[in-house]
Amino acid sequence: MMNDNIFASEMSGSSNVPENKISKFPVVNDGKTWYTLIIFSENLAGVLNQITNVFTRRQLNIESLNVSPSGFKGLHRYTVTCRSDFETMKKVVKQIEKKIDVVLARFYTEDHVYVMEQALYKIETSKLIADHDISKAIRKHEAKIVEVNATYSIVSIEGLPSDIVELRHILRDHGCMLQFVSSGIVAVTKSSHEELNSFLKVRKLQKEAITED
């Protein structure tokens, strides 16, 4: 089942970031486009394996994966980001939707979703104190130092994936980073139409019609 969002994605699916436009995702000059897949499934064991197997069979690397309860009882929400092309993404979503436990799957370019990610950086306190450029970079990216002791400090950030990667590169280049972890990207669509609501209403009516027969 395809929708207007997918075709809208095709219209804006260029891998080239326009000049002066700030990309939400790290810029990778390999001709591929960042896509965000939003998938709803029944909350059952083994669904995650079914979904990731679709990517594995097409040798697609998952850049980020987040799984959480959705706003609907009994349904889980998967947010997957990867870099590919429109035709490949269309096939991937079709294959995922064929999985019996998957309710709905869609994919979007960055213009059609609001994305956010969280990350923690563990850095050496001695270098943080000695090198003022490190604290400047932390403030510039609106990150916060949430823990400080004689050995290490912990920096927390919440923002766009591109900002998180940029700060990671800066801290790494300053030779102070001990650990790094990110939450995985979460996303909501910018559409005024909530497609899952409509889908569930139609499915409910279909089930009721079958019961009456």
Side-chain angles (χ1 to χ4, degrees):
M1 182 185 300
M2 311 307 284
N3 68 348
D4 291 340
N5 288 328
I6 291 177
F7 297 106
S9 298
E10 183 180 31
M11 298 292 290
S12 60
S14 169
S15 60
N16 299 317
V17 178
E19 193 173 356
N20 299 326
K21 178 182 178 181
I22 298 174
S23 175
K24 299 171 185 172
F25 296 97
V27 176
V28 183
N29 295 316
D30 60 357
K32 298 179 181 177
T33 300
W34 281 94
Y35 287 100
T36 300
L37 288 80
I38 298 177
I39 304 158
F40 295 92
S41 81
E42 306 288 348
N43 183 16
L44 298 172
V47 178
L48 177 59
N49 190 46
Q50 293 179 46
I51 292 172
T52 56
N53 278 344
V54 174
F55 289 85
T56 301
R57 282 200 295 272
R58 291 191 171 274
Q59 297 185 324
L60 282 173
N61 185 40
I62 293 175
E63 300 286 346
S64 171
L65 169 65
N66 180 284
V67 184
S68 67
S70 73
F72 297 87
K73 186 178 180 181
L75 294 184
H76 263 46
R77 179 187 183 111
Y78 299 73
T79 305
V80 184
T81 57
C82 71
R83 289 182 295 108
S84 186
D85 57 79
F86 176 80
E87 289 301 325
T88 301
M89 281 294 96
K90 191 163 66 172
K91 292 173 184 174
V92 164
V93 166
K94 270 187 175 180
Q95 289 179 332
I96 291 174
E97 282 206 314
K98 288 179 181 176
K99 305 299 179 187
I100 192 166
D101 298 321
V102 171
V103 176
L104 193 74
R106 295 290 184 262
F107 70 98
Y108 308 89
T109 56
E110 65 174 276
D111 289 336
H112 298 92
V113 287
Y114 181 86
V115 300
M116 182 170 284
E117 190 172 15
Q118 292 182 316
L120 295 173
Y121 311 83
K122 183 179 177 182
I123 61 177
E124 293 181 49
T125 298
S126 59
K127 292 185 178 179
L128 172 64
I129 295 172
D131 189 343
H132 291 173
D133 287 340
I134 296 175
S135 56
K136 284 181 182 177
I138 292 170
R139 288 197 301 272
K140 179 184 174 184
H141 288 80
E142 299 183 348
K144 296 181 290 187
I145 298 174
V146 295
E147 171 76 20
V148 180
N149 60 45
T151 306
Y152 64 82
S153 301
I154 297 176
V155 178
S156 170
I157 185 172
E158 178 182 282
L160 295 176
S162 55
D163 290 337
I164 288 172
V165 169
E166 184 178 281
L167 182 57
R168 187 185 73 196
H169 288 168
I170 292 171
L171 296 178
R172 183 191 61 195
D173 291 344
H174 281 278
C176 64
M177 195 156 65
L178 300 171
Q179 291 185 37
F180 168 78
V181 64
S182 64
S183 62
I185 293 167
V186 293
V188 292
T189 65
K190 293 182 178 179
S191 172
S192 57
H193 172 64
E194 298 302 329
E195 192 173 1
L196 183 60
N197 280 336
S198 302
F199 180 85
L200 292 175
K201 287 178 182 175
V202 171
R203 191 172 73 164
K204 182 180 178 182
L205 291 173
Q206 289 173 338
K207 285 183 177 178
E208 290 174 352
I210 292 171
T211 303
E212 290 174 0
D213 290 342

